[in-house]
Amino acid sequence: FLLFVEFVTVSFLLGYLSSNTIVLFPQAEIDAAVQLLLKLKVDYKQMTGQDYKAGCPPSENLIVSNNGPAADDCDGEDLVDPWNVSASSTKGVDYDKLIVRFGSSKIDKELLERIEKVSGQRAHHFLRRGIFFSHRDMHQILDAYEKHKSFYLYTGRGPSSEAMHVGHLIPFIFTKWLQDVFDIPLVVQMTDDEKYLWKDLTLEECHRFTVENAKDIIACGFDVNKTFIFSDLDYMGASPQFYRNVVKVQKHVTFNQVKGIFGFTDSDCIGKISFPAIQAAPSFSSSFPQIFGGKKDVPCLIPCAIDQDPYFRMTRDVAPRIGLLKPALLHSTFFPALQGAQTKMSASDPNSSIFLTDTPKQIKNKINKHAFSGGKDTVEEHRKYGGNTEVDVSFLYLTFFLEDDEKLEKIKEDYTSGALLTGELKKILIETLQPMIAQHQERRKQVTDEMVQQFMTPRPLNYKF
Ligand SMILES: *[C@@H]1O[C@H](CO)[C@@H](O)[C@H](O)[C@H]1NC(C)=O
Ligand SMILES: *[C@@H]1O[C@H](CO)[C@@H](O)[C@H](O)[C@H]1NC(C)=O
Ligand SMILES: *[C@@H]1O[C@H](CO)[C@@H](O)[C@H](O)[C@H]1NC(C)=O
């Protein structure tokens, strides 16, 4: 009710100001009314988490919608930004709606076929199964590549803790595939500065997490001669060209724009407000003179989860104004928490995901105890009605990690018909993840400090064209 009163008051004041100011009121009264209006807007934002918008009463689920063009819609939508993701439905985020809202393009059959034709490889199962589902300008990247013009990959990781979970591997598994099939260089940005600004961590901790996470990234099998991993805290100071691009972006984005894109408020520290320029800079090849010899026109392709898109909408908006190329993007869906596609994985809740450090026994227990089931309550009912693979987390995880299409299809059929029980489905997932995680741990053990040092040293890389 309070919210509603607030909303009505703000609406009234706005109408009052816009229709009456010039003619009827002395300056002092107008100033007082403006002050009151601004204060009400701030209160409104604090109470609802939303910016006040004329004509849009607060939605019940109080979602901040700062997601681009269609954010003016009033209906309660999925919340997707770089810091929060929450879906309004148990099936998770509505990705088709998100494509429309963000103004990106769907990865359709035609694009899949082109990727296969140009790379000469069968598309990765993340592409075939719609895990990477949306893109910006991927056709342009392929056009250039067909004309023997190379591109490079840029992806990143926010090192907020030592523990990475299986979901964190998704962009890296996919990026490694792209690097292998196209034979191109990769830069990996470790945003330790961002984690310092956003979390209650010291600089030393953030930098240490960068090194620890880099080991997990290296364990994904990246080619050291084609991959540069960098810590913002180190590289910002070491590379004059990188910092020059940061400053160019900073000059061309206003406080109002980042407030609109990211939902920053007046009480956010100034480090947060300028950070988006630092995540933008690796999209430009001139930020890496040691790799590209000062070339400004090597196109960049960014594989990332779609929550990172706001950064790159901003980057693509700025790029032509500073004489640089817009980066292309491939967007992935989110990796669901064990408790279901609607909830978020959290590093502070070990039960919400499978971590790369989990033992076979922990993996088994977590899946058996916590993986949300789309099955029926009793065996009799399950046999009769079958299970729902759309919400079953074990099945969803298998779409990420079970490469065999036929086997996956058979599991889907059997689970839907009721022939396969939840316990049996969970067993298949456990037997898929246990060896996968064990192999990762084995490869990570082989990663020495010298190797990390090598990957993180600015140097020339090998690439095809
Ligand atoms: C979004 O995330 C930030 C940072 O983690 C947090 O402070 C904020 O309260 C969240 N907003 C919503 C609407 O959940
Ligand atoms: C990287 O390049 C060096 C020097 O050319 C070579 O000795 C090494 O085998 C290469 N490593 C890989 C993984 O290809
Ligand atoms: C995780 O699950 C285990 C077993 O169900 C439980 O004992 C533990 O309290 C849970 N931990 C958290 C943080 O919820």
Side-chain angles (χ1 to χ4, degrees), residues 116-388:
E116 295 194 332
K117 184 168 157 273
V118 176
S119 69
Q121 301 280 330
R122 183 165 189 225
H124 192 272
H125 68 273
F126 288 174
L127 282 168
R128 301 199 304 269
R129 294 177 191 165
I131 289 168
F132 276 82
F133 70 104
S134 153
H135 77 101
R136 294 182 190 275
D137 289 350
M138 187 61 194
H139 281 290
Q140 268 119 296
I141 291 282
L142 296 173
D143 289 344
Y145 191 79
E146 278 182 322
K147 292 183 191 126
H148 299 279
K149 192 164 172 14
S150 191
F151 60 98
Y152 73 102
L153 298 163
Y154 157 33
T155 193
R157 153 108 191 114
S160 53
S161 79
E162 226 168 285
M164 283 171 69
H165 57 63
V166 284
H168 291 137
L169 288 182
I170 304 307
F172 294 107
I173 293 172
F174 187 59
T175 303
K176 158 134 176 67
W177 180 81
L178 289 169
Q179 180 181 63
D180 289 348
V181 303
F182 289 105
D183 187 14
I184 40 171
L186 159 68
V187 297
V188 182
Q189 181 181 47
M190 307 298 287
T191 56
D192 36 18
D193 52 349
E194 178 215 359
K195 291 305 159 199
Y196 172 71
L197 292 166
W198 260 269
K199 306 250 167 190
D200 188 16
L201 294 167
T202 65
L203 277 172
E204 289 69 29
E205 283 166 326
C206 295
H207 193 263
R208 189 169 65 79
F209 295 153
T210 283
V211 173
E212 290 307 312
N213 288 183
K215 290 182 185 168
D216 282 296
I217 294 169
I218 293 167
C220 292
F222 290 106
D223 181 340
V224 66
N225 291 333
K226 296 191 176 75
T227 307
F228 174 46
I229 303 176
F230 63 98
S231 139
D232 281 345
L233 292 174
D234 292 334
Y235 193 61
M236 275 281 279
S239 173
Q241 293 311 321
F242 188 90
Y243 186 56
R244 277 165 174 72
N245 281 339
V246 170
V247 171
K248 280 187 202 167
V249 175
Q250 284 174 343
K251 180 161 174 165
H252 291 82
V253 181
T254 66
F255 184 30
N256 266 330
Q257 283 169 322
V258 288
K259 274 204 272 193
I261 300 169
F262 300 98
F264 296 144
T265 67
D266 289 357
S267 46
D268 279 308
C269 71
I270 59 174
K272 289 186 183 178
I273 291 152
S274 60
F275 173 74
I278 299 171
Q279 186 154 331
S283 315
F284 307 124
S285 60
S286 53
S287 296
F288 304 98
Q290 73 280 8
I291 303 174
F292 303 108
K295 272 198 231 163
K296 280 184 176 178
D297 61 348
V298 184
C300 174
L301 173 65
I302 306 171
C304 62
I306 194 154
D307 61 330
Q308 298 299 303
D309 190 63
Y311 284 112
F312 302 115
R313 281 204 298 271
M314 184 200 82
T315 308
R316 287 168 54 87
D317 178 62
V318 175
R321 290 188 280 133
I322 56 177
L324 297 172
L325 292 179
K326 287 183 182 185
L329 286 116
L330 290 171
H331 297 123
S332 74
T333 60
F334 304 110
F335 190 78
L338 278 173
Q339 285 76 6
Q342 199 178 18
T343 48
K344 220 174 79 165
M345 278 178 299
S346 140
S348 56
D349 178 2
N351 293 334
S352 71
S353 191
I354 308 292
F355 286 83
L356 298 177
T357 45
D358 284 349
T359 62
K361 189 156 172 258
Q362 283 173 315
I363 295 172
K364 182 172 168 213
N365 286 340
K366 277 192 197 178
I367 293 172
N368 281 334
K369 285 193 186 129
H370 302 290
F372 183 79
S373 166
K376 296 287 179 294
D377 291 341
T378 66
V379 173
E380 292 71 39
E381 273 184 50
H382 189 86
R383 293 270 187 232
K384 194 166 163 196
Y385 302 109
N388 180 357

